[in-house]
Structures are given as C-alpha cells and as structure tokens.
Amino acid sequence: HSVAHPEARDRLLNYLTERLKKLGGNPQTYVYPNITSRKFTFDAKNLLAEFPPLKASSDTTYLLMMAHHDSRYPWKLMGDTVTALGAVDDGYGLGIILESIHQALKYRKEWNQGIKVLFTDAEEVDLQGMKAAYKYNKEIFNDVELILNIESRGPFGPVLLFETSPGNEQLIKLYANHARYPFAYSIMNMVYQKMPNGTDMNIVRNSIPGLNFSPVADINHYHTDLDNIHNISETTIQHYGEQVVPIIKEYLTNTIYADKEYLKAEDDIIYFSIPLLGMYHFTKNQYWLLNIGLCLLLIHLLMKDKNFCWKKSKSKSGI
C-alpha cells in the first residue's frame, strides 16, 4: 500500500475508517491532490478521528496519536526490486493505536482530556501527508498538548523511545513515572537529531511536545518484502503497549494536563533505563553533581587501594 499502489492504499484506508467508526470516532478523510515526490504523483489521504471526553469543552486538550498508513514504495535492493508490505512499518503503529483506544474507552467516564488519531499518508515519500496537514489544516493541532508517534524500523526487539521534542523535562518525567519496562536513552535522542532521516514528528517536534517510539532490531526486514505478517513479533507489540497504554491513561485522567503548557519546558534532561531496575533521569546540574561525586568516590577508592599496597610493600621489605 505505497504511493505506487493507490488501490491497495484505498482499501487499507477504508478498513481503518470502518475500525475507527466502530470505536465511535467519526473519522474524516483529508485529501491533498496532485502531490509529486520521489517521481510519483499521487493524492495524499490522511485520516483523522476524535474521541473527546464525555464532558468536553472548548478548552479541552488532546493527546494526538500518529502513525502512517502507507508503506515503502518499490526500490532496488541488490539488483532486485522489492516492495514493503507494511505489516511492521507502519502496521505496528496502526494496530497499537487502534488497540490503545479500545483499552482507553473502557474508562472514558474518567477522562478529563481527549484523544485524536491521525493516520497520515505518504510518510515514506518525504513526509508529504504530514506536511500537507500542518500547512493546510493546522487547526487539527491547535488543541493538541501531547503527541505519541508510533513508528517501526525493525520487527523485533524492545521498543525504544528514540526521540523527544525539545525541552523534554516534563515529558521524560511523565514517561519515567508511568511507562512499564521503559527503554530510553538521551544519547539516542541526541544522535537521532544528527541523522538525515526523519518521521512525521519532524514537522511538529519544535511546536508540540511529543514522544516517538520504535523497535530497531533486524534492519534486514526494514523496507523489504520481509516486512510482512509472517515476521511480526507479539513480544515487541506487547512492549509498545506496556509503555504507551499507561501514559495514555495518565494523560487522559489527570487534571494537570488541562493546562496546555504543562508539558513544555525550557531544558532537556539526561535519562537512561537499566533493565530490571527502571528509569533514571537527571537535570544537567544534577548529572554534573552525580559525575563529580562518582569521580571523587573513584579517586578515594584508588587512593585507599594505593595506601594498602604501599603498607603491604613496606611490610614485605621489613621497613
């Protein structure tokens, strides 16, 4: 269902529309005609659905969950033309979002904020669907306080929080306090900003707080015909849920997020996770103090060991 396969793309879009209707989302399709990118000309079709709280008002803030519904277009790999079927990239994202909403609707009476879903088109051809949405329908984002973008760069392994928006202090506290089995490292966020590739979150990362998730294991399946239903990992899918579902519940039910500015901060913080031990995060000043303390401890241990060796040496020499 790439931009080179419009009929397959439309079938998928119709399927997603019906799924969102059954959830009660009243989906709308936004069509952006005659876009040309990567030698393809196509109509980009985004799908938007809203799930407001039962007591919504004009001031209600929203969590926006995003994934792209197109797959990689045909390309040459080692002399063969391959086409990704999109079960992982970004079938994972579509499925995770649909099931997350299904779970969240069970406690809708507790919601203070709402959910929006944006399934974008043409992400694989320079983010054209998301670019069009932000250019021509910016009202979609006006009441959005938090974005969760669900991506995939490989079918297996743990799901990594690989990117945050700038000023991530409150975002990381939200993630660290509520995600189960967190897997995140601030150095990955820094490295990703230097890389030439990007996701739909690129378009809004400087204006709306957001978290970007993806597994990264087994790049050999990425953008190839191995990206199919036979190569999905239920364990990886579960790890998405363990992280995303608790964050969604916290956001929807806690009244502190009625303030649209709450998740915005001036500073980035240092963070990392340790398997079985959890998530650790520090302000830059706290991190420097931690490093200074560790250095002093190391020096103390080295000096203590040196004194021990010196006494032992004197004893042996009879001094």
Side-chain angles (χ1 to χ4, degrees), residues 83-271:
T83 302
L85 300 181
V88 171
D89 183 18
D90 195 19
Y92 275 3
L94 304 177
I96 295 302
I97 289 174
L98 290 171
E99 180 60 17
S100 295
I101 293 170
H102 176 233
Q103 296 300 322
L105 288 170
K106 295 177 181 179
Y107 55 89
R108 195 173 191 175
K109 291 181 180 179
E110 302 175 39
W111 291 14
N112 292 292
Q113 289 67 241
I115 302 179
K116 290 185 179 183
V117 174
L118 182 61
F119 291 147
T120 63
D121 195 2
E123 191 268 357
E124 298 288 2
V125 281
D126 302 320
L127 319 179
Q128 292 297 330
M130 185 61 176
K131 287 177 179 177
Y134 200 63
K135 181 176 181 180
Y136 299 111
N137 297 105
K138 204 167 184 178
E139 70 277 1
I140 292 172
F141 308 93
N142 287 343
D143 49 7
V144 172
E145 182 183 10
L146 171 64
I147 291 177
L148 301 183
N149 191 54
I150 312 298
E151 264 288 353
S152 182
R153 195 171 170 81
F156 310 126
V159 175
L160 174 68
L161 171 62
F162 70 95
E163 181 185 21
T164 74
S165 54
N168 62 23
E169 183 173 0
Q170 292 301 326
L171 282 170
I172 292 301
K173 288 178 180 178
L174 168 63
Y175 174 78
N177 291 337
H178 297 282
R180 292 190 295 267
Y181 311 114
F183 188 52
Y185 302 90
S186 50
I187 191 170
M188 292 298 299
N189 187 34
M190 182 183 69
V191 169
Y192 186 74
Q193 303 314 314
K194 305 296 183 182
M195 296 174 66
N197 50 306
T199 70
D200 282 335
M201 195 171 136
N202 283 37
I203 309 303
V204 291
R205 69 180 303 275
N206 291 322
S207 54
I208 304 174
L211 303 172
N212 209 350
F213 296 90
S214 173
V216 293
D218 204 331
I219 196 69
N220 295 322
H221 290 70
Y222 182 60
H223 283 173
T224 74
D225 50 3
L226 294 175
D227 181 359
N228 59 56
I229 195 69
H230 302 293
N231 289 320
I232 65 172
S233 165
E234 292 182 0
T235 304
T236 296
I237 292 170
Q238 183 65 32
H239 194 214
Y240 276 112
E242 296 288 0
Q243 297 183 76
V244 170
V245 168
I247 292 173
I248 294 171
K249 186 168 187 178
E250 164 65 11
Y251 178 82
L252 293 178
T253 59
N254 196 327
T255 55
I256 62 175
Y257 303 107
D259 177 5
K260 193 178 177 183
E261 302 299 311
Y262 183 81
L263 289 172
K264 294 181 179 179
E266 293 294 326
D267 297 322
D268 287 335
I269 60 176
I270 311 298
Y271 56 91

